Amino acid sequence: MTTETPHATSSRPALLTCLGGVGTVTGSKFLVESDHARVLVECGLFQGLADLRRRNWRGLSCGAADIEAVVVTHAHLDHCGYLPWLARHGFRGRIVTTDFTARLMEIVLRDRRAADGEGPARQRARPVQTPPCPAAVLRL
């Protein structure tokens, strides 16, 4: 009987980086990185006071094109509203969610895009959603 010694691997454990939803209840984004993949869990928009909304214009700690997939648990803007920004900046990976959440996300993202132009200019946040439109994002 021969036994083989398993080869030692030098892979590192996955790294979790909180990119949103910290110190506030909005803007949920968590980047999970391993030697093999980068996955964003939630892709939320910061909402509320101007200081929070300004966080929507900060870049991610990696390029959007480097993210292989986004997992969205539900269709609230603070969990999916950042998807148009991500797509505009090169994300072409998969969006992993349920069929029902995908249907609701389309409604929520379209509604948000329409609302970006409403209200007095001094009260409006700088719109995060510019092309691609929500339908283009959901084809990913």
Side-chain angles (χ1 to χ4, degrees):
M1 173 185 226
T2 61
T3 58
E4 294 183 24
T5 306
H7 297 288
T9 60
S10 61
S11 64
R12 62 184 170 94
L15 175 66
L16 174 66
T17 306
C18 299
L19 303 173
V22 177
T24 183
V25 296
T26 186
S28 186
K29 283 186 225 56
F30 305 93
L31 183 63
V32 181
E33 298 176 275
S34 74
D35 290 337
H36 310 289
R38 280 192 176 110
V39 175
L40 195 61
V41 179
E42 309 297 7
C43 194
L45 195 65
F46 285 99
Q47 298 173 278
L49 301 173
D51 286 343
L52 289 174
R53 293 191 317 260
R54 283 187 201 102
R55 294 182 191 182
N56 292 319
W57 298 101
R58 295 180 189 163
L60 299 175
S61 59
C62 67
D66 297 330
I67 297 171
E68 293 184 32
V70 175
V71 177
V72 178
T73 62
H74 62 282
H76 291 171
L77 273 176
D78 64 328
H79 289 258
C80 71
Y82 202 68
L83 284 168
W85 184 96
L86 199 67
R88 188 174 64 244
H89 286 88
F91 173 72
R92 298 294 178 262
R94 294 180 332 156
I95 298 173
V96 180
T97 194
T98 67
D99 289 338
F100 291 117
T101 297
R103 289 184 210 161
L104 285 172
M105 279 193 323
E106 185 171 3
I107 294 166
V108 166
L109 292 175
R110 284 179 197 258
D111 184 58
R112 177 59 195 194
R113 186 171 187 189
D116 275 342
E118 294 178 1
R122 70 180 187 286
Q123 293 177 353
R124 273 187 263 153
R126 192 169 114 198
V128 172
Q129 291 194 31
T130 56
C133 69
V137 170
L138 294 173
R139 282 194 296 267
L140 293 174

